[in-house]
Amino acid sequence: VAFSGCGEPPETRARISKAEREARRKADSAALKIGVLPTADCLPFLIAEKCKLFDTLGVEVRLRKYHALSECRIALKNSLVEGAVIDSTLIKILKDEGVSLNAAMPTDLTWKFLTAKKARITRLGQLSDKFIAADSHGDSHKLAEGAIDSLVTKKKMHIFVVQVEDPAVRLDMLSSGNIDAALLPEPYATTAMKRGARWIKEVKSSPCGVLAMRSKAMQHKTRQKQLDLFKKAVGAANDSIKRFGRGKYADLLDY
């Protein structure tokens, strides 16, 4: 009885827990929430978080870590984040769906068109009756379709695009030979080549990544100030990459 009297009754514990949850909810609501991916173009954001550059500048940032561009797209559409890293094609798609966005800053997202080691494909002309994995939407899908259209028009070939959202799954499918080719961002592309995949350089891609911010969320002056400080922290992280190289922070992409 004596020991049980020292503890707090369940009702008190429940009230404290509810108060803590509410405090966390308010703090999360006030923070700038940004959707990121485990891709090389997001590395500066991850470094800024790891090295507490946001804290140093006095801005509260929550990085929402997703595994596919489709997840970032859904997060923007459902107002789960103020901004997210996507690509130029997805910005157009979201705007067509009624989501008002502003491009806050570019990222160096690029794609490599790779073929499986088992497939023994070294050029686009060998892709007849083959399967290519890409996102369901976005620049990777656009690149895959562009490559296919050029071949179908010229040689009347049959090629198929398989929609695989998660680049890690695409990498595993390519490495195991379950698909013939795939569009992959870094660092997945480099990993694939280390496993024997071939880079088909006939398919050109240029930097097309962007940090997209929801226009409605950024109407508030507080959000604008947060974004300015966010950019400053990311700039400092980019300086660190130039000084020490990406290899120093490679572990940050493994989540």
Side-chain angles (χ1 to χ4, degrees):
V1 174
F3 279 110
S4 64
C6 294
E8 295 171 335
E11 294 82 1
T12 303
R13 290 198 299 272
R15 284 198 300 271
I16 292 173
S17 178
K18 185 177 180 180
E20 288 176 348
R21 288 197 301 271
E22 180 62 16
R24 290 175 183 175
R25 186 195 67 77
K26 288 182 178 179
D28 191 69
S29 178
L32 185 70
K33 296 171 288 297
I34 303 292
V36 297
L37 298 166
T39 49
D41 60 309
C42 291
L43 186 58
F45 304 164
L46 301 171
I47 291 172
E49 180 187 55
K50 177 71 173 180
C51 297
K52 300 189 181 300
L53 299 179
F54 300 132
D55 297 341
T56 300
L57 292 173
V59 57
E60 196 70 29
V61 175
R62 300 278 194 278
L63 295 185
R64 294 285 188 261
K65 298 176 180 178
Y66 300 112
H67 292 277
L69 280 168
S70 59
E71 294 177 358
C72 286
R73 175 190 173 198
I74 291 169
L76 284 168
K77 191 172 182 178
N78 294 336
S79 301
L80 301 177
V81 293
E82 280 70 57
V85 175
I86 54 175
D87 62 39
S88 55
T89 298
L90 283 177
I91 277 196
K92 294 175 185 176
I93 291 172
L94 283 165
K95 285 183 177 180
D96 289 342
E97 293 175 347
V99 183
S100 182
L101 298 171
N102 293 322
M105 61 187 295
T107 72
D108 61 354
L109 174 66
T110 56
W111 300 94
K112 282 187 171 65
F113 191 102
L114 302 166
T115 59
K117 181 179 180 180
K118 293 181 180 179
R120 298 182 180 179
I121 297 170
T122 58
R123 54 189 175 81
L124 284 178
Q126 298 173 310
L127 283 172
S128 184
D129 296 321
K130 303 301 182 183
F131 291 87
I132 303 169
D135 292 299
S136 59
H137 299 82
D139 284 331
S140 74
H141 190 85
K142 188 176 179 181
L143 283 166
E145 286 193 326
I148 289 171
D149 289 343
S150 66
L151 293 171
V152 170
T153 301
K154 292 178 181 178
K155 301 184 179 182
K156 298 182 180 180
M157 297 167 62
H158 296 287
I159 307 167
F160 311 94
V161 178
V162 181
Q163 297 176 0
V164 182
E165 304 293 350
D166 192 329
V169 175
R170 260 177 274 162
L171 170 62
D172 289 340
M173 292 176 71
L174 187 71
S175 299
S176 61
N178 290 326
I179 52 172
D180 303 297
L183 271 294
L184 290 173
E186 294 293 358
Y188 299 100
T190 294
T191 300
M193 287 189 286
K194 287 179 179 177
R195 296 178 183 177
R198 296 174 175 85
W199 178 13
I200 305 299
K201 297 183 180 180
E202 295 172 73
V203 180
K204 305 289 185 181
S205 68
S206 57
C208 48
V210 63
L211 173 62
M213 307 297 296
R214 291 190 299 108
S215 303
K216 187 174 181 180
M218 301 314 296
Q219 289 175 353
H220 303 285
K221 290 182 179 180
T222 299
R223 292 297 192 201
Q224 285 289 350
K225 185 177 180 180
Q226 287 177 319
L227 181 59
D228 290 342
L229 293 172
F230 176 88
K231 290 180 180 180
K232 189 174 181 179
V234 171
N238 275 317
D239 289 341
S240 186
I241 291 174
K242 291 176 183 178
R243 182 179 179 184
F244 299 108
R246 291 182 180 273
K248 179 179 174 62
Y249 304 105
D251 61 309
L252 295 180
L253 297 177
D254 185 22
Y255 66 81

